[in-house]
Amino acid sequence: MKEVLPSTSTEVESEDVSEYEPEPVEKIEKPLNMAPGAVKLRSLLNKTFRIEMTDGRILIGVFLCTDRDANIILGSCSEYLPAESKAKTLNEEPRMLGLVMVPGKHIVSVHTDANDYDPGMYIPLSKNINSDDVT
Amino acid sequence: MESEVSNPTVSWRIPNNWADITETFHEAVKDLKLGELLHDDLFGLFEAMSAIEMMDPKMDAGMLCNRGVRKIVSFDQAVQDCILKLDAFSDSEIIGIIDSTLACLVSWLEGHSLAQTVFINLYLHRPYMIEDRTLKAFCLSVYKLLEIIKDLVHKAMVYEEEDFQPMQYGYQLNPDISEQRMIGMLREVEEDLHKKLRGNHNEETQGVYGRIRFIRVFLQVLIIFRKEDQQPCIADCQRLLNTSIDMLYIVQDTVHLGVRNEDVDNEHIVGFEPSINQRLLPPTFPRYTKIRCRAEAVLYFMEMVERFKIVCRIQSISSLHQALDFFIEFSKCSPCILSRSALQLLYPGTNPVNLKDILKDAVKTFICPPALLSKTLLANAQAKHYVDTFLSHCSRPFQNFLQLCGHNRARQRDKLAHLLEEFTTLQDEAERVDAFLHNLSVSSPLSRPHIACFGTWVLYHTLRIMIMYLLAGFELELYSVHEFYYIYWYLYEFLYGWLISALSRADSFLVENEILNELQKNKGTSKKKPKYKKKPRPYNRDIIYLQALQNMCGGYYKALMGFRLEGKLSMPHPRFDSEQVRYEHRFAPFQNLLTPPPVVYSEFRDMTSFQRFQQQPVDSVFLYIAGCKHFHQARQLFESVPMDHEVAELLKICKTNFIVLKLLAGGHKKDSTKPPEFDFTSHKYFAMIKLN
């Protein structure tokens, strides 16, 4: 049946999709950044971090991502308000936040679980050391 | 004694031994390139997108600027610091606390979370520690109110996320009190206050008395609504509701006596801490809940109690069609979630157990199908079985229809479209059952033909749903003015016409059935001619009303075509527009129906093209005059039905539109291209046409 359409409106066509097949996506492996800093950071991925922010709040979560400006993404993150006293003990009742991004410029300090952290593993020697210096 | 919010359990233990890696970290990131992200395989930019950004005031609810200047003090801390007292409250203070809490309750019922409304009242955190009897009883009763309201709303299942937030955030009464004990406690306090008043009548004590009595009576009403096993006693309800209104008048008169906070920056009195529960809220952007003012809250309760009184009337309605009309009418005033839920629970038809019998009665009353009346057909086991099965299949669609009418207005339109799918299946089955029964009845001489009995009944409802769907588009302001003409056309040319003929057919069936009954009654008597009294046909009023509406739609359609011809309608730019797409979108839910058959776009163009009017030239004047005739006809029809508020409004609209079209037909403002205005303030579906 011939359809009478207003003169300038476009006809709605159904696309013929029968011949289109998606090409298999090739995973292009990007070469890993092997600089010592990057290697160090990758060893810290998925470890528990404790970050102190410029306004005194403490965030504890799993380290998931970072970038050059030290913006850090934490997963399963909880927020603790600064404790009243000087003691290291945190205020109870953390606020559950989930996935959080802390801008690098608001980070005062970064701590990680000492039981899980081995500081010396991947830092290459920065200068030549005489065997006599190693005691 | 009772627990307050329990600490959320942490899935892993927080390490207590931290190594400082600040320097290491900052050195390490320097090895990353600009824009490079360091993460493992399971994480990426896509996931990173949904992270909350800290120290951004728009996203970080915990930031200092969002936390408010006040120091947030908990109940325990406040008692310790002697900010909060537990006894020796003046009546004025009690009134203030109760009114503020009721205002919070109203804010909750308007869709906000309990954490930011009712539970900002610190007294509710430890109700058992309060020593003042009145305040303690009130606080405990608030918990019971919350519990019953949540139960009612949950059972009725007509709420959406914008209507109601049931989450309680761990606040529970421990130990719990029974409903009976609570009512008893409130009665005791009431009696004490009553004795005090007799000795020394003053306004403040009267105010407290009125409030406690209102809470007690209101609680009792809700308990009655909630009763599942037996039919709630409506006489009791009415009595309690009347007492509620009386008490609310006392509350209203004494609102000004409640203690207030004179501070401009802080609207809350001692004991109310808006940010106390902030840490319990889900991590989103910062949300502030504005609590209603006390006087408005009282008004809200008064209106709610009036709505409850209306809702109770459903108890006296036994027919399904009347119940549906009641539900639809009630929904039009956009009632609150609690009254909508109460209506669902009070009507027996929303319970599937009762619905099948109600449906059977409904069909019988509507069209007197022989299958439900004639002895021969009733005796036929297979016929009975088919009819039975058909009626059970009708249960769910009608249950959904009743529930749909209980949802908020904005949500109904979508649900109507889905409901049409269910009715399509019903139509199919109805047709087959009718055909089978017709074959049976043809063989028996006495029974009436069974042509399309069940079919007509299902069609009647289907058409009403279709009309509701299209008209809802006007109420929700979904249509642009340049779309009105095909909406009104569909209603005028098809939907109302079909509905009228369905009703007429039902009408004839009923009349036939009566004649047959009369004949059978007079068989034994000596009367030669059965005196058939001229009775008004059963659906007379409905048919006339629908014809009037049909004419109104016809009037709008012709008027709009006239506007188009005179260039008075601003149409979308043709480059960006396809009328066919718009048309098909608007009528999409109708596409799968058998009856009425959907009208495709090409048919629509055919039927509305001017070539159809062979005899006369079609110009705007012709169309205006045609529109005039329609509105005139509508007016005459409305004048012949019993008057009510809506008919009066529609009459006014018809008269106005008649005059406007008459003026236009006479050439008034012929050259003006200013678009006419459609004013929906008097009626949501039918506008008054105004010329500028």
Side-chain angles (χ1 to χ4, degrees), chain A residues 31 51 92:
Chain A
I51 295 182
E92 299 125 38

Side-chain angles (χ1 to χ4, degrees), chain B residues 211-493:
Chain B
R211 282 159 176 76
I212 296 295
R213 192 140 184 238
F214 165 67
I215 295 288
R216 195 249 309 166
V217 162
F218 189 65
L219 203 55
Q220 283 178 301
V221 168
L222 294 180
I223 291 172
I224 293 180
F225 283 171
R226 182 162 73 153
K227 270 208 202 323
E228 237 184 81
D229 38 2
Q230 76 243 51
Q231 266 306 92
C233 180
I234 284 308
D236 280 346
C237 250
Q238 294 287 8
R239 189 177 39 86
L240 291 166
L241 288 170
N242 286 330
T243 312
S244 300
I245 286 284
D246 292 338
M247 291 305 112
L248 281 170
Y249 276 119
I250 297 181
V251 175
Q252 195 178 47
D253 288 339
T254 48
V255 157
H256 63 281
L257 295 172
V259 74
R260 290 179 182 280
N261 194 333
E262 299 305 322
D263 189 358
V264 176
D265 294 323
N266 179 21
E267 55 179 305
H268 293 288
I269 56 174
V270 167
F272 287 81
E273 191 62 70
S275 311
I276 186 74
N277 296 314
Q278 203 163 47
R279 319 217 21 92
L280 303 173
L281 294 172
T284 61
F285 51 87
R287 279 188 222 200
Y288 305 106
T289 303
K290 184 121 177 53
I291 306 289
R292 286 272 216 140
C293 88
R294 294 174 187 178
E296 280 174 16
V298 181
L299 214 58
Y300 183 95
F301 276 111
M302 283 178 155
E303 288 169 0
M304 187 200 281
V305 172
E306 291 299 331
R307 281 194 289 271
F308 281 173
K309 280 194 191 169
I310 297 176
V311 161
C312 284
R313 284 191 225 147
I314 191 74
Q315 288 276 305
S316 57
I317 292 179
S318 49
S319 117
L320 175 72
H321 289 194
Q322 278 183 319
L324 271 171
D325 285 341
F326 185 93
F327 273 59
I328 293 171
E329 220 25 65
F330 184 66
S331 167
K332 283 187 184 165
C333 62
S334 298
C336 66
I337 179 66
L338 205 46
S339 35
R340 285 190 273 122
S341 306
L343 182 58
Q344 294 285 314
L345 295 175
L346 284 178
Y347 178 57
T350 48
N351 186 342
V353 169
N354 304 322
L355 192 52
K356 195 160 150 215
D357 288 328
I358 295 180
L359 286 169
K360 202 191 281 195
D361 282 333
V363 192
K364 235 196 261 186
T365 324
F366 181 71
I367 198 168
C368 289
L372 295 173
L373 297 169
S374 130
K375 293 201 193 79
T376 33
L377 280 177
L378 281 169
N380 183 318
Q382 199 175 28
K384 197 162 181 299
H385 174 70
Y386 279 0
V387 171
D388 237 24
T389 318
F390 168 69
L391 286 174
S392 5
H393 288 170
C394 286
S395 241
R396 218 178 71 138
F398 278 94
Q399 204 185 346
N400 287 341
F401 195 178
L402 287 164
Q403 197 175 60
L404 182 161
C405 296
H407 276 268
N408 71 53
R409 299 294 288 169
R411 290 280 188 166
Q412 284 181 16
R413 189 168 185 266
D414 257 352
K415 295 188 192 286
L416 285 167
H418 288 301
L419 194 62
L420 277 177
E421 289 166 20
E422 295 193 54
F423 272 78
T424 311
T425 327
L426 268 187
Q427 262 180 3
D428 192 44
E429 192 178 341
E431 222 171 288
R432 284 185 276 119
V433 173
D434 275 332
F436 173 78
L437 291 169
H438 182 63
N439 286 333
L440 275 187
S441 65
V442 157
S443 47
S444 144
L446 266 177
S447 11
R448 288 183 291 115
H450 207 284
I451 309 174
C453 275
F454 291 118
T456 307
W457 180 66
V458 176
L459 180 63
Y460 170 72
H461 287 288
T462 310
L463 287 163
R464 285 194 9 151
I465 294 170
M466 291 166 83
I467 292 173
M468 272 173 84
Y469 176 80
L470 287 183
L471 291 178
F474 285 111
E475 184 179 349
L476 297 172
E477 299 181 43
L478 293 176
Y479 309 132
S480 314
V481 177
H482 62 262
E483 294 188 270
F484 283 2
Y485 87 99
Y486 46 75
I487 307 288
Y488 280 126
W489 175 81
Y490 212 103
L491 287 163
Y492 155 68
E493 191 74 52

Side-chain angles (χ1 to χ4, degrees), chain A residues 8 37 57 66 101 110 112 114, chain B residues 17 19 21 31 38 52 60 279 574:
Chain A
T8 50
R57 287 182 288 165
T66 188
M101 193 279 278
V110 181
T112 187
Chain B
N17 211 3
I21 52 170
D31 281 348
L38 186 120
I52 306 170
D60 188 356
R279 319 217 21 92

Side-chain angles (χ1 to χ4, degrees), chain B residues 42 129 137 306 382 501 540 586:
Chain B
L42 300 169
M129 283 187 69
E306 291 299 331
Q382 199 175 28
S501 65
N540 208 32
R586 291 303 183 198

